[in-house]
Amino acid sequence: MSHLLSDTALIFGRYARQTLRSTPALVFGLIQPLLFLVFFGPLLGDLPLGGDGDSWRIVVPGILIQLGLFSASFAGIGLVLEKRLGTIERMRVTPVSRLALLMGRVLKDVVQLLVQSLVLVVVAVVMGLRAPVPGVAIGFVFVGVLTVSLASLSYALAMRVATPQEFAPVINAVTMPAMLLSGVLLPMTLGPRWLDVVSHFVPFRYLVDGVRAAFAGEYGNGKIALASLVATGLAVVAVTLGARLFRQAGA
């Protein structure tokens, strides 16, 4: 275990330094969610979503999950490029734990997403968001767990494809329907009944509902507990499957 932790920290440090040197990537990673925040959030002001500030407690949790959904899902594209450059081949001859090669990358993605989420929430507070600090912290935990799940699967997929042209269509085919059916933009209860029923088969819908309940300070309505169960189950399955595929691909 100590060997795994030290190797994970080593890999995390390598990719964290690499990310910090890529300032444009950090900045542009925030542009899309901030655009949603600035241009879409105010449109909800006149909708019957509740009292003052409730529109922001609807849109901000959705954007946080969207940020985790897309950023973590596309995390593996960098690994595809590393394979083509021969970086993975050089790592294979080192004694570093194969699981650490995965988890170090995932940990870097979690830290990066949490920093971006913090910036997003700070901007949202300036624009009118009012949410309890414990609720925001719970939301960050869900974003972190979601990132662990999707980044693990993304890296596993990256080890099994040869080019970005093979990687991107698979991710888009999964993330776009998942985003639309999870209710990241508006609660699914506002849509047709059949669409609301279909959305219950998408696990991300429960995470969105849980984060919205947390931001509203509604800790006892069961949504946070259900979201916790779904997030934990998704993480266990994703990390187990991701680690197995990562190892089978010869990482």
Side-chain angles (χ1 to χ4, degrees):
M1 179 60 69
S2 61
H3 178 61
L4 174 62
L5 293 177
S6 61
D7 285 353
T8 299
L10 179 66
I11 299 301
F12 166 77
R14 179 186 190 277
Y15 287 100
R17 290 190 296 271
Q18 188 179 83
T19 300
L20 290 175
R21 289 195 294 266
S22 304
T23 305
L26 292 174
V27 174
F28 285 104
L30 273 174
I31 286 182
Q32 183 180 4
L34 287 178
L35 287 177
F36 271 102
L37 187 67
V38 173
F39 295 119
F40 185 74
L43 296 177
L44 301 179
D46 295 330
L47 293 180
L49 299 176
D52 182 40
D54 278 3
S55 62
W56 292 111
R57 292 198 291 266
I58 293 295
V59 70
V60 173
I63 293 176
L64 286 175
I65 297 298
Q66 180 194 40
L67 180 63
L69 181 64
F70 278 94
S71 298
S73 295
F74 277 95
I77 198 165
L79 185 58
V80 176
L81 299 176
E82 283 188 290
K83 286 170 57 181
R84 303 188 70 180
L85 293 173
T87 304
I88 300 301
E89 290 295 330
R90 292 192 292 272
M91 285 185 173
R92 282 173 176 168
V93 300
T94 68
V96 175
S97 165
R98 297 305 183 253
L99 182 57
L101 289 175
L102 172 64
M103 298 313 299
R105 291 178 170 91
V106 171
L107 182 59
K108 185 275 296 182
D109 293 324
V110 170
V111 173
Q112 180 177 339
L113 261 294
L114 290 179
V115 171
Q116 291 176 326
S117 298
L118 178 60
V119 173
L120 185 69
V121 169
V122 169
V123 175
V125 169
V126 173
M127 298 183 66
L129 171 67
R130 298 296 178 265
V133 174
V136 173
I138 291 173
F140 285 175
V141 170
F142 283 133
V143 171
V145 175
L146 176 64
T147 303
V148 169
S149 303
L150 296 182
S152 297
L153 295 176
S154 181
Y155 287 122
L157 174 64
M159 288 298 297
R160 303 185 71 86
V161 300
T163 66
Q165 289 76 19
E166 296 176 76
F167 179 85
V170 175
I171 297 300
N172 280 325
V174 174
T175 55
M176 286 303 297
M179 183 196 75
L180 295 174
L181 288 172
S182 61
V184 297
L185 300 180
L186 287 172
M188 294 305 298
T189 53
L190 298 179
R193 174 62 181 168
W194 68 268
L195 195 60
D196 185 32
V197 172
V198 171
S199 73
H200 280 86
F201 293 94
V202 179
F204 309 120
R205 184 241 169 93
Y206 300 100
L207 298 184
V208 174
D209 289 345
V211 177
R212 283 178 175 150
F215 270 57
E218 300 171 353
Y219 306 122
N221 61 5
K223 291 184 178 179
I224 295 177
L226 180 58
S228 299
L229 291 175
V230 172
T232 302
L234 182 63
V236 170
V237 172
V239 172
T240 302
L241 179 61
R244 180 178 301 174
L245 294 176
F246 201 78
R247 285 167 170 162
Q248 288 176 352

